[in-house]
Amino acid sequence: MISSFKFESYTIDKFSFDVMPTIGRDVLTQKDFRADNWEFMLGFRPPQYLQSRKTYLGGVELKMRVLNKKSDNPEEELVKLHAGIVGAFKVDKEGLTEEQEQSLVKNQIPAILMPFLRAAVMSFLASSGFGSVVLPLINVHEIAKHKLTNVDVELLD
């Protein structure tokens, strides 16, 4: 059986990483960078449809940070990271209702893209000297179902 929903490609299209300048010399001994000290915020980009290519685009945004627990300012960030991914998908409309197609586009795109973004971020942090920061497993499908329910697909071209 061939799926009506085809994953074409993805790109990590956003990546910023900032470390508080004064901690650079302390990173190797700093215990504040343990995995459980990271805060995570997940967001979803509204889906788009490129009419000329018959392709859907969707994306996920991930923001992470470690707060300075020793500071008088509770929002002072020791480290912050913002990453985003966009993916292209084709849908064979034959045999699908509009409701099924919308569900695939809004719920499956973020769920398919998240493991790629998660792997890129974890690899970057490990390669940057922050050790094994394991992002928690998240039921992206369920979150997307709630956050994107009333979001319309934007038509382009």
Side-chain angles (χ1 to χ4, degrees):
M1 180 177 194
I2 297 175
S3 174
S4 300
F5 192 63
K6 296 176 181 69
F7 181 26
E8 297 284 313
S9 64
Y10 77 91
T11 302
I12 304 287
D13 63 348
K14 180 178 292 194
F15 206 99
S16 65
F17 182 69
D18 295 303
V19 179
M20 180 189 277
T22 58
I23 65 161
R25 63 185 175 274
D26 299 326
V27 169
L28 295 176
T29 59
Q30 182 63 263
K31 293 181 181 176
D32 292 324
F33 298 106
R34 292 188 324 261
D36 58 341
N37 285 337
W38 289 84
E39 292 182 1
F40 304 92
M41 291 154 275
L42 190 64
F44 305 106
R45 297 179 187 172
Q48 300 173 317
Y49 183 67
L50 299 173
Q51 296 177 49
S52 63
R53 293 180 167 180
K54 297 182 179 176
T55 301
Y56 284 97
L57 300 176
V60 178
E61 302 274 332
L62 176 66
K63 292 182 180 180
M64 299 172 52
R65 67 184 187 166
V66 175
L67 297 176
N68 186 353
K69 294 180 180 176
K70 297 172 186 166
S71 172
D72 293 335
N73 177 359
E75 289 298 309
E76 183 177 64
E77 298 170 326
L78 292 174
V79 179
K80 65 181 175 179
L81 181 146
H82 184 181
I85 186 170
V86 63
F89 297 79
K90 297 260 187 188
V91 177
D92 180 2
K93 296 177 184 260
E94 195 171 305
L96 289 177
T97 66
E98 180 67 24
E99 185 178 319
Q100 289 171 324
E101 183 177 345
Q102 291 296 309
S103 176
L104 283 172
V105 169
K106 293 179 182 179
N107 304 332
Q108 295 301 324
I109 288 177
I112 291 169
L113 293 176
M114 186 59 192
F116 294 99
L117 184 59
R118 184 176 187 266
V121 167
M122 287 173 33
S123 177
F124 174 82
L125 289 171
S127 299
S128 300
F130 285 86
S132 296
V133 177
V134 179
L135 277 67
L137 292 177
I138 301 167
N139 188 341
V140 175
H141 181 273
E142 200 58 37
I143 296 170
K145 196 176 354 178
H146 294 290
K147 292 212 175 204
L148 294 175
T149 298
N150 296 321
V151 174
D152 292 327
V153 174
E154 181 183 358
L155 300 176
L156 303 176
D157 287 349

